[in-house]
Amino acid sequence: MKFMKKDATLSESRDTVFRDLVLKSPGCEKIPTCMQCGICAGSCPVSHEMDYTPRQLVRMIQLGMKQEVLNSNTIWLCTTCFSCSVRCPRGIHPTELMEALKPIAIAEGIDNKNSRFDQVFSEVVRKNGRASEFLLISKYSLREPGMIKQAPFGLSLLSKGKLPLSVDKMENTPELEAIFNPVKPEAKPEEKHAAGNAGKTADKEGEREE
Amino acid sequence: MKYSYYPGCAQHGTAVDYRASVEAVFRSLGIELEEIRNWNCCGALHVPDRNVKAALSGRTLASSKGLDIATPCNLCYSNLMRANTAFEDAANKNRINEILTNKYGGNTKPKHLLEVIVKDYGLAKLAQHVKNPLKIKAVPYYGCLLTRPENKFDSPENPKSLDNLIAAIGAEPVKYYYKTKCCGGPILITNEDLAISLAKDLLVMAKETGADCMVVTCPMCHLQLDAKQKLVEDRYNIKLELPVIYFTQLIGLALGFAPKELGMDKHLVATDRLVAGIGR
């Protein structure tokens, strides 16, 4: 594993457009000042399972290693605990970096069990306004057959009345539609290709077909 | 005392027990929680687009009727706080307000229910209402999102508010080094093995303190530590049987409520022995 990581750091694939896009997003502005101290990786509860630790990922952003970054499991394993963010001596927010990368990865066609869960979750909230756990799990299980393993857990919750089968809904949701799919009349065609806009909307494209 | 109340999705599902205890305790203390009409999900940690999440929470913050918004959930609380930060940027604010029916000015203050009790209501006043001092040892577990990333309410590294609350009602808060370490909740569906290993670390450390129970402030933490505890035991071949209760249930017991009124019969880990231990 370690050798693979090293190989990736030597990669020739550099994408400055991608790098600059990421550096502009909130929480990522100070990434160029990273001194590789590694307190983010040391604080991260799941860095041992990541393809690249948060420290490595920050360096890879500096280098514009788009493909390696977007294909890593690092983005998706992050539990959003913000331990790294509150400790970084440079004021970098690696957690915000992961969040900035998710829509970009989805827009670039990254598809894995985590991105699928996020898409199912977004779809449930967009349609109902609330995230009913039962609906969420049922819909996700259809896309992820391995979920059958977790059936006993679901049953234990059901037995305690903690997994209502009724769907919790808002009264009306047109406003939610607008929140999830904002119309951008001011956006000119060439701007749509700036990944900022692509990242903001592209993750909804697939869901709408269902 | 009156707050706009944002229960969050879990209160209508996996956290029905939390809901029962919140309703009982806050009514008893005379703190009014007026539920926001037609509230929406905050997006939790699984709406991958931060702009969408800021708009979701902006809609909630705009419906506070000039009151502070109280919420029982660490995820909701964190998202509301982060939305406020997003609204500090004028361009962001205008962009989101173009979508929202009720425009949001950026001035609503979100508060976690723990903050409402500890800071606004006051622990001295709470102590006066204690009918049944709890002579137990309890692990204070804060989780991640109560104090991070905004850390406006308590320290992100060594928070004390829940410790102080436990002490105020007669119980003993034990020293617990993992009080802000992640429980693995956000990946419990997608990366179960990893999530279980994080929960195991927390539970084993909590068990080692010799405490009678673990006290939590978040529905997701509760799901991980209570509902998944049996799985942790099976997977690691260990015996834990450590009751995990919401801080509102702890207060409720001290105020003299029956465990059932606080939803404690809904837990996956039995709380009978804990309840017997405090003399009820």
Side-chain angles (χ1 to χ4, degrees):
Chain A
M1 259 329 252
K2 268 181 188 157
F3 291 112
M4 277 174 61
K5 286 176 187 176
K6 204 168 183 183
D7 287 343
T9 338
L10 294 170
S11 151
E12 291 301 313
S13 66
R14 305 283 163 88
D15 187 328
T16 52
V17 177
F18 166 73
R19 180 196 66 200
D20 295 344
L21 166 72
V22 173
L23 295 185
K24 264 190 281 178
S25 27
C28 305
E29 303 89 342
K30 294 182 179 166
I31 284 178
T33 68
C34 174
M35 56 188 170
Q36 292 288 299
C37 75
I39 199 161
C40 50
S43 304
C44 179
V46 291
S47 58
H48 59 287
E49 293 278 339
M50 288 173 164
D51 293 336
Y52 309 104
T53 67
R55 175 187 65 80
Q56 288 172 311
L57 207 75
V58 167
R59 180 68 181 136
M60 290 159 71
I61 296 293
Q62 290 177 338
L63 295 172
M65 295 167 64
K66 179 177 176 181
Q67 290 314 319
E68 290 85 349
V69 167
L70 295 184
N71 283 292
S72 72
N73 72 0
T74 305
I75 310 171
W76 304 103
L77 284 189
C78 168
T79 61
T80 328
C81 80
F82 287 99
S83 294
C84 52
S85 292
V86 298
R87 289 178 183 169
C88 175
R90 292 295 206 205
I92 299 166
H93 288 261
T95 314
E96 297 285 358
L97 167 63
M98 308 300 171
E99 300 235 307
L101 291 171
K102 281 179 190 176
I104 301 176
I106 292 173
E108 292 279 332
I110 297 294
D111 179 54
N112 56 43
K113 58 183 176 179
N114 299 76
S115 68
R116 284 195 287 277
F117 183 75
D118 282 11
Q119 282 170 315
V120 168
F121 192 100
S122 299
E123 183 191 326
V124 166
V125 175
R126 180 172 64 81
K127 283 191 183 152
N128 303 294
R130 293 180 192 167
S132 294
E133 288 112 340
F134 184 75
L135 187 65
L136 198 60
I137 298 307
S138 318
K139 280 185 176 275
Y140 184 60
S141 301
L142 290 177
R143 289 207 193 176
E144 208 58 56
M147 282 292 290
I148 191 75
K149 248 178 46 189
Q150 297 204 35
F153 174 59
L155 287 173
S156 69
L157 290 175
L158 267 172
S159 73
K160 289 284 181 181
K162 293 185 120 181
L163 205 55
L165 303 184
S166 59
V167 175
D168 194 15
K169 275 188 175 198
M170 282 170 67
E171 283 162 29
N172 50 56
T173 53
E175 201 177 351
L176 281 245
E177 195 61 48
I179 286 176
F180 276 88
N181 295 303
V183 189
K184 295 194 188 84
E186 79 284 5
K188 294 183 184 73
E190 64 266 30
E191 284 174 352
K192 277 186 185 157
H193 289 289
N197 286 335
K200 276 168 203 163
T201 50
D203 53 328
K204 275 96 209 174
E205 311 275 302
E207 304 167 20
R208 302 209 62 190
E209 309 306 320
E210 306 217 345
Chain B
M1 289 176 81
K2 186 174 172 180
Y3 298 84
S4 272
Y5 186 53
Y6 179 50
C9 305
Q11 300 281 314
H12 289 194
T14 49
V16 283
D17 36 10
Y18 196 5
R19 183 183 187 173
S21 65
V22 168
E23 283 171 5
V25 165
F26 279 71
R27 195 180 308 123
S28 161
L29 295 176
I31 307 173
E32 199 181 331
L33 300 175
E34 189 186 310
E35 186 162 328
I36 294 170
R37 247 201 87 248
N38 205 29
W39 53 267
N40 59 273
C41 171
C42 70
L45 298 172
H46 293 291
V47 168
D49 187 325
R50 290 184 294 177
N51 296 311
V52 173
K53 273 208 288 204
L56 286 171
S57 285
R59 184 183 177 277
T60 307
L61 289 159
S63 27
S64 74
K65 296 187 185 169
L67 300 168
D68 291 345
I69 288 191
T71 176
C73 172
N74 291 13
L75 275 72
C76 297
Y77 173 70
S78 154
N79 276 333
L80 295 175
M81 296 291 273
R82 289 172 76 194
N84 265 351
T85 307
F87 270 80
E88 282 170 13
D89 181 279
N92 242 342
K93 180 169 157 182
N94 292 336
R95 186 183 49 77
I96 299 171
N97 272 335
E98 264 175 40
I99 307 165
L100 299 181
T101 311
N102 292 324
K103 311 302 170 203
Y104 177 50
N107 300 318
T108 302
K109 193 168 172 10
K111 288 180 175 171
H112 190 280
L113 290 183
L114 180 67
E115 184 178 1
V116 169
I117 297 272
V118 173
K119 289 238 166 113
D120 295 1
Y121 188 80
L123 291 179
K125 200 164 154 196
L126 178 68
Q128 289 168 12
H129 287 81
V130 171
K131 291 187 186 132
N132 188 19
L134 306 180
K135 301 288 178 206
I136 55 168
K137 290 208 277 184
V139 172
Y141 177 64
Y142 298 76
C144 307
L145 298 170
L146 184 63
T147 60
R148 293 192 298 264
E150 307 281 353
N151 73 36
K152 286 182 178 146
F153 155 54
D154 206 340
S155 157
E157 298 289 358
N158 187 15
K160 293 276 172 62
S161 45
L162 185 55
D163 293 64
N164 296 339
L165 185 146
I166 291 170
I169 55 176
E172 180 192 336
V174 300
K175 220 181 185 76
Y176 184 57
Y177 294 105
Y178 285 170
K179 55 163 75 165
T180 61
K181 190 169 184 283
C182 179
C183 71
I187 51 169
L188 83 101
I189 301 292
T190 48
N191 306 76
E192 198 198 19
D193 292 345
L194 183 54
I196 287 294
S197 78
L198 297 181
K200 185 261 293 175
D201 290 349
L202 295 185
L203 287 164
V204 167
M205 176 73 104
K207 189 78 185 169
E208 278 175 9
T209 65
D212 302 289
C213 67
M214 202 165 173
V215 183
V216 299
T217 66
C218 170
M220 184 107 95
C221 303
H222 194 264
L223 202 61
Q224 268 290 82
L225 301 171
D226 173 71
K228 289 254 175 183
Q229 195 176 123
K230 181 80 177 59
L231 194 66
V232 171
E233 289 181 329
D234 292 349
R235 185 117 4 136
Y236 289 91
N237 198 19
I238 47 176
K239 201 100 202 118
L240 294 162
E241 292 176 348
L242 182 66
V244 182
I245 65 174
Y246 288 105
F247 78 101
T248 42
Q249 292 175 324
L250 186 82
I251 298 173
L253 290 171
L255 296 180
F257 284 99
K260 207 169 171 185
E261 294 175 283
L262 303 169
M264 289 173 67
D265 54 321
K266 305 261 187 212
H267 289 199
L268 272 293
V269 178
T271 53
D272 309 9
R273 213 160 38 162
L274 170 73
V275 172
I278 57 171
R280 277 194 62 94

